[in-house]
Amino acid sequence: MPTLRSKDRGESDYDVLDIGLAPEGRKRILWADEQMPVIRRIRDDFTKKQPLRGLRLAACLHITTETANLLRTLKAGGAEVICCASNPLSTQDDVAASLVEDFGIGCFAIRGEDRDTYYRHLRGVLERHPVVTMDDGADLVNLLHSEFSAQAQEVIASMEETTTGVIRLRAMERDGALKIPVVAVNDAQTKHLFDNRYGTGQSTLDGIVRATGVLVAGSSFVIAGYGWCGKGIALRARGLGAVVTVTEVDPIRALEAAMDGFRVMPMVEAASIGDIFVSATGDRSVLNANHFDLMKSGAFLANSGHFDLEIDVAYLNDSAARIERNITRNVDAYHLKNGRTIYILGQGRLVNLACAEGHPAQVMDMSFATQAMASHWVATNPPLPVRVHEVPQEIENEVASLKLAAMGITIDTLTEEQKKYLSSWQTGT
Ligand code: RBV
């Protein structure tokens, strides 16, 4: 394993809570790696071929065991890798320490960092002039287009991990503001069909249960948003025995939720019947002043969307009669003026990472395999035009095939006769 001893690195190359946490982080990183066969395969390949040789790559991602295994892979491919957190509350401090101590990867991330520190860490990464960037939510790309815009032309491409980030990048493209080519990794099927649905589904329930210990069976579970994340959460909440209600603004998705067997209604109606609320819309103020007073005393509110503005926590902070922070780990009690109490999980930050450990390694294996192959693609192809790019289909097929092989699943192939039939139009009734 590549080890950079303390004397080989400057203190300015990292900012972590406690470098002494490295041994625990290393153990957990290696444990997660056991569940990431596709990323391991790519790492072996990268080690031999060195496709990222000499590239300085900066990643703004959740600092988790799974991310560590992606970053190790990029480094094995020859890149110089530095990273910072994409959320102030998702960093696993032992992982941050191990990245620095055991894997020679500069890391700027401390769980619970304030906004100023969060941005200082992003700046710390950009001050090292990366040529490839990797983002989860587009905060790094945003900074690259504002304070660091003089550096934008140095960047050959950026990869975007999440739905919210892709929405922001497409808005930049529409406004003619985008200055670098970006790859919408989130939009790859090998990412969102699995990570957003099964990853978010399981880790959101995991976060809620870890934070509260609530019995999901028999509860009234309200989900705002029926995109891939909402679908996964609804599936898993139902699996645990909840009565699930979905709120939506899109008529097709609302219909889909209804025909999938969920109750569908506006949030003002759902507000008074829910025991557990989860937002997964990507938009702001989905749970707001119109809803809080209607809620049952004891309701749990969690957010699974990328940013912490889906639940209007700012309003609650101003209007509550009394707030008890950390009434239990990661839960704040808001005593409302109407005499009721509602509980906010993980400060309204994405509950799966703030209150649990994010998506399981098996599913991040596919997301991060797609990231690694997309990095290879941007590094070894002629300069990409400045726009939002899709992940090439060959990469998607390769990731899916490797995952199937790792799972011991084989599939059929078309015969010549079948191929011919599919490309013909003469044969009918
Ligand atoms: N996510 N990362 C993890 N364990 O490292 N878990 C979730 C992890 C990513 C996921 O891909 C999603 O798109 C994004 O976090 C939301 O910020």
Side-chain angles (χ1 to χ4, degrees):
M1 182 187 319
T3 303
L4 201 68
R5 268 182 287 280
S6 310
K7 67 176 172 51
D8 299 329
R9 54 176 163 71
E11 296 257 320
S12 62
D13 290 340
Y14 65 93
D15 189 18
V16 301
L17 180 70
D18 177 3
I19 204 77
L21 297 172
E24 179 61 20
R26 178 175 178 275
K27 254 202 280 186
R28 295 198 315 108
I29 291 167
L30 298 182
W31 173 252
D33 203 46
E34 294 285 314
Q35 318 296 332
M36 304 180 82
V38 183
I39 242 343
R40 287 203 309 274
R41 231 335 255 279
I42 296 173
R43 194 182 309 138
D44 288 346
D45 196 50
F46 274 17
T47 306
K48 282 185 222 119
K49 298 188 184 139
Q50 296 287 292
L52 309 178
R53 172 161 293 285
L55 288 184
R56 181 167 294 168
L57 192 150
C60 178
L61 297 171
H62 300 293
I63 304 302
T64 62
T65 55
E66 294 80 17
T67 297
N69 287 317
L70 167 65
L71 301 182
R72 290 172 62 197
T73 304
L74 301 168
K75 187 168 175 179
E80 182 193 327
V81 183
I82 42 177
C83 66
C84 59
S86 60
N87 186 292
L89 213 52
S90 60
T91 298
Q92 298 171 7
D93 290 311
D94 57 344
V95 170
S98 176
L99 278 170
V100 174
E101 186 72 6
D102 302 315
F103 299 102
I105 292 171
C107 180
F108 299 80
I110 298 174
R111 185 177 194 272
E113 60 196 11
D114 60 19
R115 196 170 186 278
D116 285 350
T117 312
Y118 176 79
Y119 275 101
R120 181 159 55 75
H121 285 160
L122 264 69
R123 286 190 195 97
V125 153
L126 288 183
E127 278 159 10
R128 280 154 182 80
H129 292 265
V131 297
V132 175
T133 61
M134 206 170 260
D135 228 339
D136 183 332
D139 279 350
L140 197 67
V141 165
N142 222 275
L143 203 59
L144 187 67
H145 281 70
S146 48
E147 228 175 278
F148 286 79
S149 60
Q151 261 175 242
Q153 90 279 359
E154 298 171 14
V155 174
I156 59 171
S158 187
M159 260 65 61
E160 175 52 53
E161 169 75 5
T162 206
T163 315
T164 291
V166 172
I167 290 172
R168 290 174 94 187
L169 293 167
R170 289 201 195 282
M172 286 170 82
E173 183 180 33
R174 247 192 338 268
D175 288 352
L178 190 67
K179 292 186 172 158
I180 58 170
V182 294
V183 184
V185 172
N186 177 78
D187 292 4
Q189 298 190 75
T190 45
K191 200 279 181 179
H192 68 266
L193 287 184
F194 305 94
D195 171 312
N196 299 29
R197 182 166 36 171
Y198 303 115
T200 309
Q202 180 167 324
S203 62
T204 296
L205 268 299
D206 184 12
I208 292 168
V209 171
R210 281 198 214 195
T212 63
V214 70
L215 176 71
V216 179
S219 69
S220 168
F221 201 109
V222 179
I223 300 159
Y226 204 62
W228 289 111
C229 294
K231 285 185 173 78
I233 299 166
L235 200 63
R236 293 300 170 245
R238 175 157 67 188
L240 285 173
V243 178
V244 178
T245 302
V246 169
T247 70
E248 250 301 342
V249 293
D250 178 304
I252 296 171
R253 286 188 176 166
L255 203 51
E256 211 182 348
M259 295 211 188
D260 284 345
F262 301 111
R263 292 192 297 189
V264 178
M265 62 183 78
M267 188 57 90
V268 280
E269 280 175 40
S272 59
I273 62 167
D275 299 310
I276 304 167
F277 293 84
V278 182
S279 55
T281 68
D283 211 342
R284 63 185 315 138
S285 297
V286 175
L287 287 163
N288 62 43
N290 298 326
H291 311 124
F292 300 134
D293 279 339
L294 302 172
M295 289 178 179
K296 295 189 218 172
S297 200
F300 297 116
L301 279 64
N303 165 49
S304 221
H306 183 79
F307 286 119
D308 60 344
L309 39 64
E310 301 207 16
I311 305 173
D312 194 350
V313 180
Y315 169 82
L316 282 175
N317 284 337
D318 287 343
S319 66
R322 193 161 60 85
I323 304 168
E324 271 178 280
R325 300 277 172 206
N326 276 312
I327 189 158
T328 182
R329 191 164 179 264
N330 292 324
V331 181
D332 295 330
Y334 285 79
H335 303 289
L336 307 181
K337 292 197 180 111
N338 66 7
R340 298 181 195 171
T341 298
I342 59 176
Y343 299 105
I344 303 284
L345 279 54
Q347 302 167 23
R349 295 196 185 277
L350 71 190
V351 67
N352 55 338
L353 282 134
C355 301
E357 290 166 26
H359 300 355
Q362 283 101 329
V363 83
M364 294 315 293
D365 191 27
M366 296 181 70
S367 311
F368 287 162
T370 311
Q371 283 279 12
M373 287 195 184
S375 311
H376 184 177
W377 179 62
V378 301
T380 50
N381 274 285
L384 294 172
V386 173
R387 61 178 171 83
V388 179
H389 295 263
E390 303 291 323
V391 172
Q393 190 61 45
E394 310 84 75
I395 292 183
E396 295 229 46
N397 292 346
E398 175 83 4
V399 172
S401 302
L402 288 173
K403 190 68 177 177
L404 280 171
M407 292 169 81
I409 298 171
T410 52
I411 59 172
D412 291 326
T413 46
L414 294 173
T415 62
E416 283 311 313
E417 191 191 6
Q418 287 172 323
K419 275 190 208 159
K420 201 165 149 217
Y421 174 76
L422 285 177
S423 61
S424 69
W425 50 270
Q426 287 93 344
T427 316
T429 310

